[in-house]
Amino acid sequence: MEELKYVTYKHLKKGQEINGIKKENATCGLTGYVKDVNVAYVTIEKWTRGGNEERYTTDWMFGIKLTDEEIRQKYNAKAGEVVAAIQNRLETYEIGYHEMWNGWLSSDPWELAQACVKEKLKVLGNCLDIVPKHAYFSGDVLDTGVCVEDEDGDRFWCHFRSDSIEIMTRRYERYQEYMKREKTAEYDNYSVAWETEEEIAKRKEDLK
């Protein structure tokens, strides 16, 4: 899930993508690319590279996307709470009503944590005693229900894959190992989810 941060001109570089600008109470939702930066102006190619150029004074703040690593750092503590909570086993009478809206669900623990903060949701656990269904596009069997509580205290659940909870946990635990050894730049969020036991042992040896 994308997220923006606003920075001054000093943090921009040529070719960087811009997603919005703001100043005091003024905002503009433009998309563009930095063509030039100096102490007076930032020149942006609007909407596409090589597009129409427009100059903005450097008292504007410029929106840039957080990197995956920045998102992991920002939401790491919350992700730990989510990973612990989602593994709680709940009974059907505890999970509330079934909700079709599941855009907040993800096997990426930081993305799920980010969505919970944005949507003001609290993960309570999962329930295996639900009627499973097949995902519309992938055909995956969604065999558990993830239960959350919203800001009003109402509970609801959405279908999810139980093995995605395992993948989520593995991703979070592996990242903590990289953090302890200050090697987060080497972390690959995709590959660690599918590691074999031999690959896990080798990675741990490499991290020493």
Side-chain angles (χ1 to χ4, degrees), residues 91-117:
E91 301 294 336
T92 52
Y93 68 84
E94 298 178 284
I95 62 177
Y97 65 92
H98 178 233
E99 172 62 65
M100 294 296 293
W101 169 62
N102 63 357
W104 51 275
L105 267 174
S106 173
S107 62
D108 181 317
W110 304 278
E111 190 172 273
L112 178 54
Q114 181 187 37
C116 286
V117 171

Side-chain angles (χ1 to χ4, degrees), residues 110-140:
W110 304 278
E111 190 172 273
L112 178 54
Q114 181 187 37
C116 286
V117 171
K118 179 182 179 182
E119 305 296 344
K120 299 180 180 178
L121 301 174
K122 179 181 179 181
V123 175
L124 299 179
N126 79 95
C127 177
L128 291 170
D129 193 20
I130 52 101
V131 178
K133 73 171 186 178
H134 287 84
Y136 291 118
F137 299 109
S138 66
D140 294 337

Side-chain angles (χ1 to χ4, degrees), residues 30 56 72 107 110 127 137 140 152 158 166 179 183 185 192:
L30 70 86
Y56 296 90
R72 284 192 285 266
S107 62
W110 304 278
C127 177
F137 299 109
D140 294 337
D152 296 320
C158 295
E166 297 175 13
M179 281 188 66
K183 294 187 176 183
V192 298

